[in-house]
Amino acid sequence: MKKIIVLNGPNLNLLGTREPEKYGSSTLADVETLCKDTAKRLGFEVEFLQSNHEGPLIDKIQEAGLAHRAGTVQGIVFNPGAYTHTSVALHDAIAAMSGLPVIEVHISNVHAREAFRHHSYISPVAAGIVVGFGIQGYALAMEGLAQKS
């Protein structure tokens, strides 16, 4: 069975307590449960990783790219958090894994927030983007990713 990799960047471990007026009251454990349930419904396994550091995220992107080429990974659902707006390294890791579909997800509508959040280094190399649907955006991203060949 193919896997969908779900990656979460910095501070997403604080979901449920960090600015609930922007991010809601759901926790990262709730996101993981939603992703597992969605993956099962879609016929995939799911692997879940959150890191406050770029290195483990880059390593997982590279690993997923190789697994995608081998036919064992469908792609990545990625909420890069603040790295969205700062990380050329994550952009380059995704670009280097050409053919690996990555769906960028944001819980809040980043385009309705501070101006610095309007730019994404991830979007130009993403296969799709889901913003502003709360944690349900992860399920929407997984459904889209399931349609990618």
Side-chain angles (χ1 to χ4, degrees):
M1 184 180 300
K2 277 189 172 181
K3 276 187 193 177
I4 292 176
I5 310 295
V6 179
L7 300 179
N8 286 281
N11 300 312
L12 288 160
N13 56 307
L14 301 176
L15 282 177
T17 60
R18 176 186 174 219
E19 301 178 271
E21 68 282 0
K22 290 183 181 128
Y23 302 109
S25 58
S26 298
T27 66
L28 192 60
D30 295 330
V31 173
E32 186 168 3
T33 297
L34 171 66
C35 291
K36 286 179 180 178
D37 292 346
T38 303
K40 183 177 180 181
R41 179 174 52 79
L42 295 171
F44 292 93
E45 292 180 5
V46 70
E47 184 176 338
F48 202 83
L49 172 70
Q50 185 277 327
S51 180
N52 290 320
H53 307 281
E54 283 176 298
L57 297 169
I58 291 167
D59 291 343
K60 186 54 72 175
I61 290 165
Q62 292 176 0
E63 179 185 309
L66 297 175
H68 177 72
R69 289 180 192 148
T72 59
V73 165
Q74 182 72 7
I76 294 176
V77 171
F78 189 17
N79 184 341
Y83 286 143
T84 303
H85 323 292
T86 64
S87 184
V88 173
L90 287 168
H91 167 101
D92 289 352
I94 295 166
M97 297 294 106
S98 60
L100 172 68
V102 175
I103 309 297
E104 180 181 352
V105 173
H106 297 285
I107 294 168
S108 68
N109 179 354
V110 293
H111 303 290
R113 295 183 58 195
E114 304 94 338
F116 73 86
R117 295 186 194 276
H118 299 177
H119 174 74
S120 169
Y121 282 99
I122 307 306
S123 294
V125 290
I129 306 162
V130 179
V131 299
F133 288 95
I135 69 166
Q136 193 59 36
Y138 288 85
L140 295 170
M142 292 176 80
E143 289 171 10
L145 189 57
Q147 302 303 313
K148 292 282 186 189
S149 52

